[in-house]
Amino acid sequence: MPDQRTTLDKPARPAADAGRSRLGDVTRPVVRDRRVLVGPRSSTVLLALVALGIAGALAYALFGIPFRTLFEQDERIAERTEQVDELEAVVADLRSEVDRLNTEDGIREAAREELGYVETGEIRESILDYPDLPTDLPNGWPYSVVNEITTVRRGGLPAPTGAVAPTPTTVAPADG
């Protein structure tokens, strides 16, 4: 069976290219008609703007974001430092209070304030103010009695309840 493969002959290199490498094709100048950036300048300007945009985005990603994060971290560190200083002041106050309460006088004072401790020979008297009383009670029993009590506590006279007071009678002396 005969071989039916088709073979293509390799084109012969022109005589001008004999002895030259293929790398020379890349370094050889391109004919003006075949250049990519030839024509209206708008495409060149557009390409330059795109390149500047990419360079700007890259610069922002490499420098802008880290510096912004650094400054935000500095602000947060300053806030946390202030909070730590305030908390240390509170801790110092609490330590001094604990030290004071660990003495005899501190224990006695805490017992008086917290537990109502009274020493021998002392009398404890608690005087409290009257609580605020409601003033907007409805009319009628039993609220009328409460209204009279609140009026008296405020230092006034009770309002008349609507009952008719007996009229005073005079008795004439008997002639006799």
Side-chain angles (χ1 to χ4, degrees), residues 19-176:
R20 293 175 71 191
S21 70
R22 295 265 181 207
L23 189 60
D25 292 342
V26 177
T27 59
R28 188 176 313 143
V30 178
V31 180
R32 188 165 187 79
D33 296 341
R34 299 190 66 186
R35 289 185 186 168
V36 175
L37 297 178
V38 173
R41 295 196 50 97
S42 62
S43 63
T44 307
V45 170
L46 180 64
L47 184 62
L49 288 176
V50 169
L52 281 175
I54 292 172
L58 184 63
Y60 181 72
L62 291 176
F63 301 110
I65 294 174
F67 281 116
R68 187 182 72 197
T69 305
L70 178 70
F71 293 135
E72 289 174 358
Q73 287 175 351
D74 286 343
E75 291 173 4
R76 279 190 252 142
I77 288 172
E79 290 173 6
R80 298 300 187 260
T81 304
E82 290 175 12
Q83 289 176 354
V84 166
D85 292 341
E86 291 173 5
L87 291 175
E88 286 176 351
V90 169
V91 167
D93 290 343
L94 290 174
R95 282 192 180 136
S96 66
E97 180 72 13
V98 167
D99 292 341
R100 186 184 64 80
L101 289 175
N102 282 332
T103 63
E104 283 290 323
D105 292 333
I107 293 170
R108 189 174 294 115
E109 181 184 337
R112 285 179 183 266
E113 289 178 7
E114 301 293 325
L115 304 174
Y117 174 74
V118 179
E119 290 186 7
T120 310
E122 294 180 342
I123 299 173
R124 181 176 179 90
E125 293 181 11
S126 298
I127 301 173
L128 301 174
D129 292 335
Y130 286 120
D132 292 335
L133 298 174
T135 58
D136 56 343
L137 296 174
N139 292 330
W141 189 88
Y143 302 110
S144 58
V145 176
V146 176
N147 280 332
E148 289 177 11
I149 292 171
T150 57
T151 305
V152 169
R153 282 193 179 173
R154 282 193 216 116
L157 295 174
T161 59
V164 178
T167 57
T169 58
T170 57
V171 178
D175 290 331

